Amino acid sequence: MDLKGVYDIEHTSTTSIHHDLWPLDEINPKEAKFPCCLVWTPLPVVSWLAPFIGHVGICREDGVIIDFSGSYLVNVDNFAFGSAARYLQLDREQCCFPPNLAGHTCKHGYMHSEYGTAVTWDDALQSSVRQFEHKTYNIFTCNCHSFVANCLNRLSYGGSMSWNMVNVAALILFKGYWIDLKSIIRSFLPFTVVVCLGISLVGWPFLIGLFSLSFVLIGWFLSGTYFMKNLLEC
């Protein structure tokens, strides 16, 4: 038996799994194609009161958007609640695609294997899709951010398996790029109108109430994520 030939075949296979990251197409907002990106869009009513809250999805290598938008419903190439307003392209080199337990490039090893690993970016997303097709949607406990966090944990993106609703939201909020001026207006105009109407009709107590609502929402997600972890398990 030609042991050298067998070794060459195995070595070639392992190398292709680790390094065969083909070039991605350009980001094309007009065609709604965002290869390996996180995408965000404002939510009707909710974003009118709290513009930092929105709907988020994650994209395949071909740019198709995938998002969890309802119980047992994962959209593919049909982003719920309108076109993307913000995006952030992620680096596949920061993912862990282990061919076996000894092939982990992240620091988590067994933990990553038990959670669910993938050999490609799209493989990780598809595994999360299969899981969330059986999940009940709840905006406060199991939502689109939970789905994206699940994908990033399967990828061990950035060497982390601690992705959750809060840091996914922070990532797109603070590092995401606006697509165009129209997207900014679409995201903030309803909130501005609500604030102006509220102040004119109710006065400054309306603004205090609005800020209190935002404070309560932020407190809920922070406490549920970091202090009562079982509360927001999806």
Side-chain angles (χ1 to χ4, degrees):
M1 180 177 181
D2 187 356
L3 295 180
K4 183 178 183 303
V6 172
Y7 171 80
D8 288 342
I9 292 173
E10 291 180 348
H11 180 72
T12 301
S13 175
T14 301
T15 302
S16 66
I17 291 174
H18 276 299
H19 303 291
D20 190 17
L21 298 177
W22 53 86
L24 299 175
D25 293 334
E26 294 292 326
I27 293 172
N28 187 346
K30 291 183 178 179
E31 298 293 331
K33 301 300 181 185
F34 301 87
C36 294
C37 288
L38 302 185
V39 290
W40 180 95
T41 193
L43 279 168
V45 182
V46 177
S47 298
W48 301 355
L49 303 175
F52 56 88
I53 296 179
H55 182 68
V56 67
I58 189 168
C59 304
R60 298 187 319 210
E61 290 175 300
D62 62 1
V64 168
I65 301 173
I66 303 175
D67 64 299
F68 178 53
S69 61
S71 297
Y72 321 116
L73 176 62
V74 180
N75 293 314
V76 178
D77 203 17
N78 184 24
F79 198 32
F81 309 110
S83 59
R86 305 186 78 173
Y87 71 93
L88 176 66
Q89 190 167 49
L90 303 182
D91 182 6
R92 290 173 298 171
E93 294 287 351
Q94 294 190 45
C95 301
C96 178
F97 299 125
N100 49 56
L101 189 59
H104 280 268
T105 57
C106 66
K107 298 178 181 179
H108 303 288
Y110 283 103
M111 179 182 175
H112 191 196
S113 295
E114 290 177 357
Y115 189 90
T117 59
V119 294
T120 66
W121 176 278
D122 286 353
D123 181 40
L125 269 57
Q126 187 57 40
S127 296
S128 293
V129 167
R130 286 194 293 267
Q131 179 179 350
F132 274 74
E133 284 177 336
H134 304 283
K135 296 283 187 181
T136 301
Y137 183 93
N138 187 311
I139 192 171
F140 296 108
T141 60
C142 185
N143 55 38
C144 55
H145 291 74
S146 308
F147 170 70
V148 172
N150 187 278
C151 293
L152 296 182
N153 284 325
R154 287 184 190 278
L155 292 164
S156 189
Y157 185 74
S160 174
M161 287 195 65
S162 300
W163 291 100
N164 53 55
M165 281 191 272
V166 173
N167 52 26
V168 165
L171 182 64
I172 191 69
L173 180 65
F174 294 113
K175 293 190 176 182
Y177 298 95
W178 293 103
I179 290 177
D180 52 25
L181 180 60
K182 181 181 177 181
S183 299
I184 299 175
I185 295 173
R186 178 163 61 92
S187 300
F188 289 102
L189 181 59
F191 173 73
T192 304
V193 171
V194 168
V195 169
C196 292
L197 285 175
I199 292 175
S200 64
L201 296 175
V202 181
W204 291 107
F206 174 82
L207 203 57
I208 295 173
L210 195 60
F211 286 151
S212 298
L213 173 64
S214 296
F215 181 78
V216 169
L217 289 174
I218 293 173
W220 166 264
F221 288 115
L222 287 175
S223 61
T225 300
Y226 296 108
F227 302 107
M228 297 177 287
K229 294 185 178 181
N230 293 334
L231 191 64
L232 300 188
E233 281 190 354
C234 189

